[in-house]
Amino acid sequence: MAGALLLVGLALVSCGGAAGDEAKGKVRVVYHDDAIAPKNRHAVEVVRRSRVLEQAADWVTTSLALPHDMVVEVTDKVPPGVEDAVTQPDGRTIYVPPAFLTELQGVATDVAKSVERPAVFSQDEYNADDLTALATRFVFGHELGHALQRQFMLANLGLEEDAADGFASFSTVNEAGPAPSLAAALLFDELARKEGGTTLEGLSSDHPVTQARVFSFLCHLEGSDPKKYEGPLVGAGYLPKTRAPLCPQAWAMLDYGWWTQLRPHFAAAFRDEGDKKQDEARTHLIAETKAFAENLDKLRTGR
């Protein structure tokens, strides 16, 4: 019987490849120049020059062992009904419509003209083009969150859209700094104002209400380094003082959660670094949870 099982095991290995072989899926960004409407070419060129899509794609390719290739299609030829960035159900294709990038740039133009520059941004980078590229980096992080959940079949304890927003924060704060989160918050806030009041469709959507998402983006950013961001975000009035005390523990949980979800899928070359980051995130979460517990009574009573 043992011999028969051994033969079956050998047969399975010979059919499926050597045991322990690492998946080698890659993320490719493809700009379909012949399928980009003239009115959308400037926004696409802004994003292409910034390389925000390529930077995020390269991190996934080098850090994770994807089971399948992933293609990011920048094209106006999208499936019916697609109006913004979207990930296909199998996690192998992400569409980034140039028309959506043009819409983002229009919102970024309004923000740059009407919203006072947050201290996190330098004077040189607070303009429509840079805000467009930075917000695109965050939005693309959201779509990568969808794609990774689907390719790896990650266990999800809540709405997939919340988890995708979480990956956008996790990946940009850790890999690109504060600017993408803040740019996305500014543009989404402007979009929310343009949308007007909440509607039945908005409240019943699988996406959280836009304004609520804005404060989550800001909360995770502030919580990642309260000493650095409390002044520019809370003191300046972007993040309410009632929310800010919850953010360090919220960020620590998000950071540890994503490192833990991804840990079984680290690429061999990234495994040591990734394991270290996950261990550090766990230690940080324990410390923040302890600090949160010690201050909970004060937070509840407002004293």
Side-chain angles (χ1 to χ4, degrees):
M1 184 66 177
L5 289 174
L6 177 60
L7 288 174
V8 170
L10 290 173
L12 288 173
V13 169
S14 64
C15 291
D21 272 2
E22 183 175 87
K24 293 181 171 62
K26 296 181 179 180
V27 186
R28 293 187 298 116
V29 180
V30 181
Y31 294 89
H32 296 273
D33 292 328
D34 59 344
I36 298 173
K39 64 181 180 180
N40 299 325
R41 288 175 185 165
H42 176 69
V44 171
E45 188 57 27
V46 166
V47 171
R48 194 200 303 246
R49 285 200 313 266
S50 72
R51 292 189 54 79
V52 290
L53 300 181
E54 289 80 3
Q55 290 163 8
D58 288 348
W59 186 87
V60 171
T61 295
T62 58
S63 303
L64 304 176
L66 289 175
H68 308 286
D69 285 339
M70 189 188 305
V71 182
V72 183
E73 308 275 12
V74 184
T75 175
D76 277 316
K77 292 183 178 179
V78 294
V82 170
E83 296 180 348
D84 52 18
V86 68
T87 303
Q88 293 297 85
D90 60 6
R92 302 187 194 187
T93 305
I94 297 174
Y95 287 102
V96 181
F100 170 67
L101 298 179
T102 297
E103 180 185 3
L104 274 186
Q105 187 169 49
V107 177
T109 299
D110 293 341
V111 168
K113 289 179 179 178
S114 63
V115 178
E116 184 177 352
R117 175 178 61 87
V120 172
F121 291 114
S122 68
Q123 187 67 53
D124 290 342
E125 66 183 346
Y126 196 63
N127 57 74
D129 284 357
D130 282 345
L131 288 173
T132 299
L134 291 167
T136 298
R137 173 67 176 84
F138 192 91
V139 170
F140 184 46
H142 175 98
E143 297 307 325
L144 284 172
H146 281 304
L148 295 177
Q149 289 179 82
R150 295 169 187 179
Q151 283 216 22
F152 292 139
M153 297 186 68
L154 300 180
N156 204 331
L157 300 180
L159 290 175
E160 184 179 336
E161 293 295 341
D162 286 336
D165 273 353
F167 184 79
S169 290
F170 163 82
S171 61
T172 56
V173 170
N174 281 322
E175 296 299 319
S181 293
L182 186 51
L186 291 172
L187 267 62
F188 276 56
D189 181 67
E190 183 69 17
L191 283 170
R193 296 176 191 277
K194 293 178 184 295
E195 290 171 356
T198 54
T199 63
L200 176 62
E201 290 75 14
L203 291 171
S204 62
S205 171
D206 59 337
H207 289 75
V209 175
T210 304
Q211 202 75 54
R213 297 174 74 185
V214 168
F215 292 118
S216 291
F217 302 166
L218 294 172
C219 181
H220 288 138
L221 175 58
E222 195 273 345
S224 70
D225 192 341
K227 291 182 179 179
K228 184 175 183 179
Y229 299 124
E230 193 276 338
L233 297 182
V234 183
Y238 292 100
L239 181 66
K241 293 180 180 179
T242 52
R243 178 73 178 272
L246 308 177
C247 297
Q249 201 257 358
W251 163 257
M253 186 172 290
L254 176 75
D255 192 42
Y256 174 65
W258 268 105
W259 283 123
T260 302
Q261 286 274 49
L262 296 176
R263 191 172 196 172
H265 309 287
F266 289 158
F270 182 73
R271 193 165 295 132
D272 288 346
E273 180 182 349
D275 286 350
K276 181 180 178 182
K277 288 182 179 295
Q278 195 261 2
D279 290 341
E280 290 172 347
R282 182 178 186 275
T283 300
H284 182 56
L285 174 59
I286 291 171
E288 288 297 346
T289 301
K290 181 180 179 181
F292 181 69
E294 291 173 349
N295 289 294
L296 187 55
D297 289 345
K298 185 185 298 184
L299 293 174
R300 283 173 171 163
T301 60
R303 294 197 300 269

